[in-house]
Every structure is written in C-alpha cells, then in structure tokens.
Amino acid sequence: MTLGEVLLSSLSSGVITQYEVDWVTSHQHCFSREEVASALRLGRLIDTGDVNLGCRLPLSVG
C-alpha cells in the first residue's frame, strides 16, 4: 500500500477505513516531503467531512 493509493481510494469513495488511517499514522516517518503534503491534505478532507471514516462495500453483492 502507498499513500497515493490511500489518497485516491479515499477521494473516489469519500471513505477511509480504520486500517488505512492506522497505516498512514504508522508509516508517516517514512514519507517524502510530497507525501507529507498529501497526508496533510487527506487530514483536511477528513476534518471538513469530505472523507469519512468507515468501510467500503463492494459495488455488487451476490
């Protein structure tokens, strides 16, 4: 998993999972300057309610 993948999936679905939040916080010491900026953007999106903590359901069930 990369921060870019987390950011893109969160932006496209409007949801970030607890696992992804945990991954971001546990790997932030390894982030490049650009990744830090992306993580801050993700944090702002969560703060404003544009991205919410939750779970993603599959598109089709069955």
Side-chain angles (χ1 to χ4, degrees), residues 16-38:
I16 188 166
T17 65
Q18 185 64 51
Y19 174 76
E20 291 168 335
V21 171
D22 292 342
W23 183 89
V24 170
T25 57
S26 66
H27 288 82
Q28 63 185 343
H29 66 280
C30 305
F31 290 167
S32 67
R33 189 176 192 130
E34 293 81 14
E35 290 171 319
V36 169
S38 294

Side-chain angles (χ1 to χ4, degrees), residues 29-54:
H29 66 280
C30 305
F31 290 167
S32 67
R33 189 176 192 130
E34 293 81 14
E35 290 171 319
V36 169
S38 294
L40 289 172
R41 179 177 180 215
L42 182 58
R44 286 190 198 103
L45 291 168
I46 293 169
D47 288 345
T48 60
D50 294 323
V51 172
N52 297 294
L53 183 62

Side-chain angles (χ1 to χ4, degrees), residues 9-10 12-21 51-59 61:
S9 64
S10 297
S12 66
S13 68
V15 173
I16 188 166
T17 65
Q18 185 64 51
Y19 174 76
E20 291 168 335
V21 171
V51 172
N52 297 294
L53 183 62
C55 64
R56 288 188 203 92
L57 299 175
L59 291 177
V61 178

